[in-house]
mmCIF file of all heavy atoms in Angstrom:
data_model
loop_
_atom_site.group_PDB
_atom_site.id
_atom_site.type_symbol
_atom_site.label_atom_id
_atom_site.label_comp_id
_atom_site.label_asym_id
_atom_site.label_seq_id
_atom_site.Cartn_x
_atom_site.Cartn_y
_atom_site.Cartn_z
ATOM 1 N N PRO A 8 11.099 -14.395 -23.147
ATOM 2 C CA PRO A 8 11.763 -13.482 -22.224
ATOM 3 C C PRO A 8 11.003 -12.284 -21.811
ATOM 4 O O PRO A 8 11.060 -11.784 -20.712
ATOM 5 C CB PRO A 8 12.994 -13.022 -23.066
ATOM 6 C CG PRO A 8 13.237 -14.132 -24.105
ATOM 7 C CD PRO A 8 11.837 -14.761 -24.296
ATOM 8 N N MET A 9 10.195 -11.810 -22.818
ATOM 9 C CA MET A 9 9.332 -10.637 -22.458
ATOM 10 C C MET A 9 8.239 -11.094 -21.388
ATOM 11 O O MET A 9 7.914 -10.244 -20.463
ATOM 12 C CB MET A 9 8.607 -10.141 -23.681
ATOM 13 C CG MET A 9 7.789 -8.913 -23.467
ATOM 14 S SD MET A 9 8.795 -7.463 -22.731
ATOM 15 C CE MET A 9 9.565 -6.957 -24.237
ATOM 16 N N GLY A 10 7.730 -12.179 -21.427
ATOM 17 C CA GLY A 10 6.807 -12.707 -20.468
ATOM 18 C C GLY A 10 7.536 -12.826 -19.164
ATOM 19 O O GLY A 10 6.869 -12.495 -18.072
ATOM 20 N N ILE A 11 8.717 -13.290 -19.107
ATOM 21 C CA ILE A 11 9.414 -13.380 -17.871
ATOM 22 C C ILE A 11 9.617 -11.973 -17.214
ATOM 23 O O ILE A 11 9.432 -11.837 -16.056
ATOM 24 C CB ILE A 11 10.701 -14.102 -18.107
ATOM 25 C CG1 ILE A 11 10.527 -15.561 -18.381
ATOM 26 C CG2 ILE A 11 11.689 -14.009 -16.784
ATOM 27 C CD1 ILE A 11 11.740 -16.394 -18.826
ATOM 28 N N ILE A 12 10.077 -11.044 -18.094
ATOM 29 C CA ILE A 12 10.245 -9.675 -17.601
ATOM 30 C C ILE A 12 8.972 -9.077 -17.042
ATOM 31 O O ILE A 12 8.873 -8.558 -15.931
ATOM 32 C CB ILE A 12 10.867 -8.802 -18.712
ATOM 33 C CG1 ILE A 12 12.278 -9.272 -19.017
ATOM 34 C CG2 ILE A 12 10.907 -7.301 -18.308
ATOM 35 C CD1 ILE A 12 12.830 -8.651 -20.288
ATOM 36 N N VAL A 13 7.912 -9.211 -17.753
ATOM 37 C CA VAL A 13 6.599 -8.634 -17.387
ATOM 38 C C VAL A 13 6.126 -9.372 -16.121
ATOM 39 O O VAL A 13 5.630 -8.652 -15.156
ATOM 40 C CB VAL A 13 5.535 -8.773 -18.493
ATOM 41 C CG1 VAL A 13 4.162 -8.495 -17.958
ATOM 42 C CG2 VAL A 13 5.938 -7.882 -19.601
ATOM 43 N N GLY A 14 6.303 -10.665 -16.008
ATOM 44 C CA GLY A 14 5.910 -11.378 -14.790
ATOM 45 C C GLY A 14 6.638 -10.899 -13.637
ATOM 46 O O GLY A 14 6.168 -10.811 -12.493
ATOM 47 N N MET A 15 8.054 -10.641 -13.785
ATOM 48 C CA MET A 15 8.826 -10.271 -12.605
ATOM 49 C C MET A 15 8.447 -8.835 -12.141
ATOM 50 O O MET A 15 8.434 -8.586 -10.951
ATOM 51 C CB MET A 15 10.357 -10.381 -12.925
ATOM 52 C CG MET A 15 10.841 -11.785 -13.097
ATOM 53 S SD MET A 15 10.723 -12.626 -11.530
ATOM 54 C CE MET A 15 9.328 -13.843 -11.812
ATOM 55 N N ILE A 16 8.093 -7.960 -13.021
ATOM 56 C CA ILE A 16 7.738 -6.644 -12.709
ATOM 57 C C ILE A 16 6.254 -6.746 -11.926
ATOM 58 O O ILE A 16 6.143 -6.149 -10.889
ATOM 59 C CB ILE A 16 7.502 -5.829 -13.971
ATOM 60 C CG1 ILE A 16 8.906 -5.454 -14.439
ATOM 61 C CG2 ILE A 16 6.798 -4.522 -13.590
ATOM 62 C CD1 ILE A 16 8.912 -4.711 -15.817
ATOM 63 N N PHE A 17 5.390 -7.616 -12.356
ATOM 64 C CA PHE A 17 4.182 -7.826 -11.631
ATOM 65 C C PHE A 17 4.431 -8.425 -10.276
ATOM 66 O O PHE A 17 3.788 -7.928 -9.386
ATOM 67 C CB PHE A 17 3.321 -8.857 -12.470
ATOM 68 C CG PHE A 17 2.095 -9.223 -11.781
ATOM 69 C CD1 PHE A 17 0.991 -8.409 -11.799
ATOM 70 C CD2 PHE A 17 1.932 -10.441 -11.235
ATOM 71 C CE1 PHE A 17 -0.183 -8.769 -11.116
ATOM 72 C CE2 PHE A 17 0.826 -10.772 -10.515
ATOM 73 C CZ PHE A 17 -0.302 -9.938 -10.464
ATOM 74 N N VAL A 18 5.329 -9.299 -10.094
ATOM 75 C CA VAL A 18 5.694 -9.953 -8.808
ATOM 76 C C VAL A 18 6.166 -8.897 -7.854
ATOM 77 O O VAL A 18 5.879 -8.813 -6.700
ATOM 78 C CB VAL A 18 6.565 -11.135 -8.978
ATOM 79 C CG1 VAL A 18 7.126 -11.599 -7.608
ATOM 80 C CG2 VAL A 18 5.803 -12.270 -9.655
ATOM 81 N N MET A 19 7.073 -8.016 -8.376
ATOM 82 C CA MET A 19 7.577 -6.984 -7.584
ATOM 83 C C MET A 19 6.566 -6.082 -7.035
ATOM 84 O O MET A 19 6.561 -5.673 -5.879
ATOM 85 C CB MET A 19 8.657 -6.154 -8.363
ATOM 86 C CG MET A 19 9.988 -6.895 -8.558
ATOM 87 S SD MET A 19 11.337 -5.842 -9.259
ATOM 88 C CE MET A 19 10.597 -5.200 -10.807
ATOM 89 N N GLY A 20 5.698 -5.629 -7.874
ATOM 90 C CA GLY A 20 4.610 -4.660 -7.495
ATOM 91 C C GLY A 20 3.649 -5.352 -6.446
ATOM 92 O O GLY A 20 3.321 -4.811 -5.494
ATOM 93 N N GLU A 21 3.256 -6.592 -6.742
ATOM 94 C CA GLU A 21 2.354 -7.336 -5.783
ATOM 95 C C GLU A 21 3.056 -7.564 -4.448
ATOM 96 O O GLU A 21 2.303 -7.515 -3.429
ATOM 97 C CB GLU A 21 1.833 -8.577 -6.437
ATOM 98 C CG GLU A 21 0.797 -8.263 -7.603
ATOM 99 C CD GLU A 21 -0.366 -7.498 -7.137
ATOM 100 O OE1 GLU A 21 -1.039 -7.822 -6.063
ATOM 101 O OE2 GLU A 21 -0.719 -6.517 -7.836
ATOM 102 N N SER A 22 4.281 -7.886 -4.483
ATOM 103 C CA SER A 22 5.023 -8.193 -3.185
ATOM 104 C C SER A 22 5.148 -6.939 -2.369
ATOM 105 O O SER A 22 5.025 -7.010 -1.208
ATOM 106 C CB SER A 22 6.330 -8.928 -3.465
ATOM 107 O OG SER A 22 7.182 -8.093 -4.076
ATOM 108 N N GLN A 23 5.325 -5.826 -3.063
ATOM 109 C CA GLN A 23 5.423 -4.572 -2.271
ATOM 110 C C GLN A 23 4.071 -4.290 -1.669
ATOM 111 O O GLN A 23 4.094 -3.790 -0.513
ATOM 112 C CB GLN A 23 5.855 -3.455 -3.298
ATOM 113 C CG GLN A 23 5.954 -2.121 -2.571
ATOM 114 C CD GLN A 23 6.224 -1.029 -3.619
ATOM 115 O OE1 GLN A 23 5.936 -1.108 -4.779
ATOM 116 N NE2 GLN A 23 6.686 0.104 -3.135
ATOM 117 N N ALA A 24 3.046 -4.445 -2.350
ATOM 118 C CA ALA A 24 1.736 -4.159 -1.782
ATOM 119 C C ALA A 24 1.428 -5.182 -0.605
ATOM 120 O O ALA A 24 0.856 -4.774 0.342
ATOM 121 C CB ALA A 24 0.604 -4.238 -2.849
ATOM 122 N N PHE A 25 1.822 -6.435 -0.779
ATOM 123 C CA PHE A 25 1.554 -7.449 0.156
ATOM 124 C C PHE A 25 2.292 -7.077 1.505
ATOM 125 O O PHE A 25 1.766 -7.145 2.531
ATOM 126 C CB PHE A 25 1.978 -8.830 -0.379
ATOM 127 C CG PHE A 25 1.896 -9.835 0.703
ATOM 128 C CD1 PHE A 25 0.726 -10.454 1.135
ATOM 129 C CD2 PHE A 25 3.129 -10.366 1.310
ATOM 130 C CE1 PHE A 25 0.661 -11.362 2.125
ATOM 131 C CE2 PHE A 25 3.066 -11.315 2.304
ATOM 132 C CZ PHE A 25 1.839 -11.845 2.728
ATOM 133 N N PHE A 26 3.618 -6.834 1.432
ATOM 134 C CA PHE A 26 4.390 -6.479 2.501
ATOM 135 C C PHE A 26 3.977 -5.154 3.205
ATOM 136 O O PHE A 26 4.022 -5.113 4.367
ATOM 137 C CB PHE A 26 5.880 -6.540 2.223
ATOM 138 C CG PHE A 26 6.393 -7.950 2.041
ATOM 139 C CD1 PHE A 26 6.924 -8.247 0.746
ATOM 140 C CD2 PHE A 26 6.430 -8.794 3.042
ATOM 141 C CE1 PHE A 26 7.340 -9.614 0.652
ATOM 142 C CE2 PHE A 26 6.896 -10.102 2.959
ATOM 143 C CZ PHE A 26 7.319 -10.562 1.650
ATOM 144 N N HIS A 27 3.507 -4.191 2.446
ATOM 145 C CA HIS A 27 2.992 -3.044 2.969
ATOM 146 C C HIS A 27 1.736 -3.256 3.818
ATOM 147 O O HIS A 27 1.561 -2.784 4.974
ATOM 148 C CB HIS A 27 2.644 -1.924 1.972
ATOM 149 C CG HIS A 27 2.166 -0.603 2.543
ATOM 150 N ND1 HIS A 27 2.994 0.331 2.919
ATOM 151 C CD2 HIS A 27 0.965 -0.215 2.715
ATOM 152 C CE1 HIS A 27 2.214 1.352 3.435
ATOM 153 N NE2 HIS A 27 0.983 1.044 3.274
ATOM 154 N N LYS A 28 0.883 -4.104 3.270
ATOM 155 C CA LYS A 28 -0.381 -4.371 4.076
ATOM 156 C C LYS A 28 -0.057 -5.279 5.188
ATOM 157 O O LYS A 28 -0.656 -5.139 6.338
ATOM 158 C CB LYS A 28 -1.291 -5.178 3.132
ATOM 159 C CG LYS A 28 -2.685 -5.429 3.720
ATOM 160 C CD LYS A 28 -3.646 -6.030 2.838
ATOM 161 C CE LYS A 28 -5.008 -6.186 3.500
ATOM 162 N NZ LYS A 28 -5.992 -6.661 2.539
ATOM 163 N N LEU A 29 0.962 -6.117 5.212
ATOM 164 C CA LEU A 29 1.370 -6.928 6.300
ATOM 165 C C LEU A 29 1.909 -6.170 7.325
ATOM 166 O O LEU A 29 1.654 -6.284 8.585
ATOM 167 C CB LEU A 29 2.462 -7.955 5.797
ATOM 168 C CG LEU A 29 2.884 -9.068 6.864
ATOM 169 C CD1 LEU A 29 1.717 -9.929 7.176
ATOM 170 C CD2 LEU A 29 4.032 -9.782 6.313
ATOM 171 N N ALA A 30 2.729 -5.083 7.096
ATOM 172 C CA ALA A 30 3.357 -4.199 8.026
ATOM 173 C C ALA A 30 2.391 -3.179 8.608
ATOM 174 O O ALA A 30 2.426 -2.916 9.822
ATOM 175 C CB ALA A 30 4.490 -3.507 7.421
ATOM 176 N N HIS A 31 1.457 -2.629 7.814
ATOM 177 C CA HIS A 31 0.668 -1.569 8.247
ATOM 178 C C HIS A 31 -0.813 -1.929 8.530
ATOM 179 O O HIS A 31 -1.540 -1.169 9.035
ATOM 180 C CB HIS A 31 0.693 -0.427 7.302
ATOM 181 C CG HIS A 31 2.073 0.152 7.131
ATOM 182 N ND1 HIS A 31 2.639 1.034 8.099
ATOM 183 C CD2 HIS A 31 3.043 0.077 6.153
ATOM 184 C CE1 HIS A 31 3.822 1.363 7.704
ATOM 185 N NE2 HIS A 31 4.102 0.749 6.498
ATOM 186 N N GLY A 32 -1.228 -3.067 8.077
ATOM 187 C CA GLY A 32 -2.521 -3.610 8.345
ATOM 188 C C GLY A 32 -3.574 -3.049 7.432
ATOM 189 O O GLY A 32 -4.793 -3.241 7.584
ATOM 190 N N LYS A 33 -3.233 -2.255 6.383
ATOM 191 C CA LYS A 33 -4.206 -1.762 5.479
ATOM 192 C C LYS A 33 -3.466 -1.519 4.162
ATOM 193 O O LYS A 33 -2.247 -1.394 4.020
ATOM 194 C CB LYS A 33 -4.777 -0.420 5.990
ATOM 195 C CG LYS A 33 -3.772 0.677 6.218
ATOM 196 C CD LYS A 33 -4.372 1.897 6.836
ATOM 197 C CE LYS A 33 -3.223 2.934 7.242
ATOM 198 N NZ LYS A 33 -3.881 4.061 7.760
ATOM 199 N N PRO A 34 -4.245 -1.508 3.008
ATOM 200 C CA PRO A 34 -3.625 -1.390 1.691
ATOM 201 C C PRO A 34 -2.924 -0.081 1.559
ATOM 202 O O PRO A 34 -3.250 1.009 2.267
ATOM 203 C CB PRO A 34 -4.759 -1.538 0.679
ATOM 204 C CG PRO A 34 -5.969 -1.851 1.531
ATOM 205 C CD PRO A 34 -5.617 -1.708 2.944
ATOM 206 N N LYS A 35 -1.967 -0.036 0.677
ATOM 207 C CA LYS A 35 -1.255 1.267 0.380
ATOM 208 C C LYS A 35 -2.148 2.224 -0.254
ATOM 209 O O LYS A 35 -2.837 1.858 -1.252
ATOM 210 C CB LYS A 35 -0.006 0.978 -0.425
ATOM 211 C CG LYS A 35 0.896 2.133 -0.601
ATOM 212 C CD LYS A 35 2.218 1.694 -1.168
ATOM 213 C CE LYS A 35 3.093 2.978 -1.291
ATOM 214 N NZ LYS A 35 4.393 2.632 -1.707
#
Side-chain angles (χ1 to χ4, degrees):
M9 185 58 81
I11 292 171
I12 292 169
V13 169
M15 289 297 108
I16 291 173
F17 174 78
V18 167
M19 286 189 303
E21 289 300 314
S22 65
Q23 180 186 21
F25 172 76
F26 286 115
H27 180 85
K28 187 172 182 180
L29 186 67
H31 299 284
K33 58 185 174 180
K35 187 171 183 168

